[in-house]
Amino acid sequence: MSNVLRLAIVDPHDSSRDSLKSMLLRLELVWLEAECSRYEFFADVVAQTNPDIGIVAIDRDPAKGLDLVSRLAQQSPECAVLVVSSSNDGNLILQALRAGAKEFLTQPIRIDDLLGALGRIGQRRSGQGEKKGRGSQVIAIGGAIGGVGSTSIAVNLGCALAREERNSVVLVDLDLTLGDADVFLDTIPDYTLVDVAQNVTRLDFTLLKRSLTRHSSGLYLLPRPVQLEDVALITAEDMQRVIGLMKATFSHLVLDLSKSYSAVDLVALEAASQILLVTQLDLPCLRNVVRLMMSFGQMEGIADKVKILVNRVGLDTGHITLKKAQETIGRDIFWQLPNDYRTMIEVRNNGVPLFEQAPKAPITQSILGLAAALCGEESQEDETAAGPPKLFNLWSK
Ligand SMILES: Nc1ncnc2c1ncn2[C@@H]1O[C@H](COP(=O)(O)OP(=O)(O)OP(=O)(O)O)[C@@H](O)[C@H]1O
Ligand SMILES: [Mg+2]
């Protein structure tokens, strides 16, 4: 049970306790250790069960509830207390925090607020050198020009990552108008990004997974909207929420960006732990890489996450060498994928991933290597991080 976050709740109101409980129970990797209907008993329950987080709903008797919060802070300082109330009175919030609460949530609780609070508690815990939540890895894939190979790479990288049993991987098609990730995976999805974006505040993890299409490789897909007119319904703010929810439920997010670098794409770039910028060795591509890198340099924290991936190496059209490309871009080439038009067109037309269609092909091996290189970096970070391996994939980055 080491990768599970353990919670205990106290709420004398049966109905609000039940609704909070059902929200918590649907959170993947959250374990409800204990529930209690009496404030008087909860400190003992916490002492006996040692949960990571104690949730105290104070509406029934705020004074008693806040007393309990102080007691917990003294007796069980390792248990982070989260206070829940239908009041958002500033004084009450202040009293709760002074009593030792780490977070205060107003009822009715929204799933993204709850996730945010749990995430902040987790980050503070890891900052104290305690157990560290295992971050989900967000890989954004952008291209320097149309048709450079971003979707081929996103889909096959996603499938390669999903092959590992310990990974849970989702691919989100952010090419909102013309995206074709569903074609690569030969799926006809029931729901799309617009359904999830519009319901994100109401979705729980079970519903979220039901809204996604699961490919036989294990990869989940969230495709672009079907109707062009629905594209405008997806805002940058929705996207932020969708990514937040996905990060709470998947170990890896692969985001296939559009080539318009829209506000929605920028949210993805911000959320990414790594950004693969796909280019080919020709002048229009390399010129765009330079332009994009200049713009990324103006945005806080983006340029450092970018890794240059050269696709279709060996395609003899641009007459630009890797060395020259590296000099032009002014940074190292992180990965190269060989040119293999026949295999790549087959995987797209047949709607099967590379490792099924051509397991031994150099391009397949190179994609598998790319997946390992991206994750290898993550495990190195884990090894150097203080404390034992990370605890919970809810915690971001
Ligand atoms: N390494 C490769 N070798 C040969 N052909 C490739 C390679 N990678 C991708 N392709 C081919 O390039 C074409 C474009 O690929 P893909 O659709 O993945 O690009 P994209 O950047 O997502 O395009 P768009 O800008 O339309 O989203 C496809 O026909 C694909 O089969
Ligand atoms: Mg594409």
Side-chain angles (χ1 to χ4, degrees), residues 5-9 42 46 50-55 78-82 117-119 121-122 125 395:
L5 187 74
R6 293 172 312 109
L7 308 178
I9 320 176
F42 193 61
V46 166
N50 287 320
D52 300 304
I53 295 182
I55 300 183
E78 69 293 344
C79 170
V81 177
L82 194 159
L118 296 179
I121 290 176
R125 288 166 67 85
W395 312 143

Side-chain angles (χ1 to χ4, degrees), residues 4 73 85 130 137 148 348 354 380:
V4 169
S85 167
E130 293 180 23
Q137 208 181 349
V148 74
R348 184 154 98 155
L354 269 170
Q380 266 173 22

Side-chain angles (χ1 to χ4, degrees), residues 142-154 175 178-180 184 256-259 278 280 310-313 315 337-348 363:
I145 211 162
V148 74
S150 318
T151 307
S152 306
I153 295 166
D175 187 351
L178 301 177
D180 51 1
F184 277 85
D256 183 13
L257 305 193
S258 81
K259 301 294 187 311
V278 183
Q280 292 182 17
V310 177
N311 192 23
R312 306 193 67 175
V313 172
L315 177 70
L337 290 175
N339 183 49
D340 187 346
Y341 191 75
R342 197 175 58 81
T343 305
M344 292 310 272
I345 210 75
E346 270 172 12
V347 293
R348 184 154 98 155
I363 178 98

Side-chain angles (χ1 to χ4, degrees), residues 41-80:
F41 300 153
F42 193 61
D44 288 342
V45 169
V46 166
Q48 279 159 23
T49 55
N50 287 320
D52 300 304
I53 295 182
I55 300 183
V56 182
I58 60 171
D59 276 354
R60 166 61 75 88
D61 188 336
K64 263 193 179 175
L66 292 179
D67 269 357
L68 170 63
V69 174
S70 316
R71 248 184 96 186
L72 289 173
Q74 281 165 15
Q75 284 182 10
S76 303
E78 69 293 344
C79 170

Side-chain angles (χ1 to χ4, degrees), residues 344-360:
M344 292 310 272
I345 210 75
E346 270 172 12
V347 293
R348 184 154 98 155
N349 290 346
N350 297 342
V352 293
L354 269 170
F355 65 79
E356 270 180 40
Q357 176 78 33
K360 298 218 166 74

Side-chain angles (χ1 to χ4, degrees), residues 159-192:
C159 290
L161 290 168
R163 267 165 35 120
E164 292 285 329
E165 214 175 304
R166 66 199 156 105
N167 293 342
S168 54
V169 189
V170 63
L171 168 67
V172 186
D173 191 346
L174 292 182
D175 187 351
L176 301 183
T177 47
L178 301 177
D180 51 1
D182 54 335
V183 175
F184 277 85
L185 293 167
D186 193 25
T187 54
I188 304 175
D190 292 328
Y191 299 98
T192 72

Side-chain angles (χ1 to χ4, degrees), residues 263-316:
V264 166
D265 294 309
L266 293 186
V267 168
L269 290 175
E270 274 165 21
S273 29
Q274 312 193 61
I275 299 167
L276 288 180
L277 182 52
V278 183
T279 184
Q280 292 182 17
L281 292 176
D282 59 47
L283 193 61
C285 272
L286 294 175
R287 194 189 55 169
N288 279 353
V289 171
V290 172
R291 288 178 54 225
L292 285 167
M293 288 310 301
M294 277 170 69
S295 299
F296 292 161
Q298 312 287 316
M299 303 172 196
E300 210 187 314
I302 302 289
D304 291 345
K305 298 188 286 191
V306 174
K307 294 181 160 59
I308 307 290
L309 188 156
V310 177
N311 192 23
R312 306 193 67 175
V313 172
L315 177 70
D316 197 16

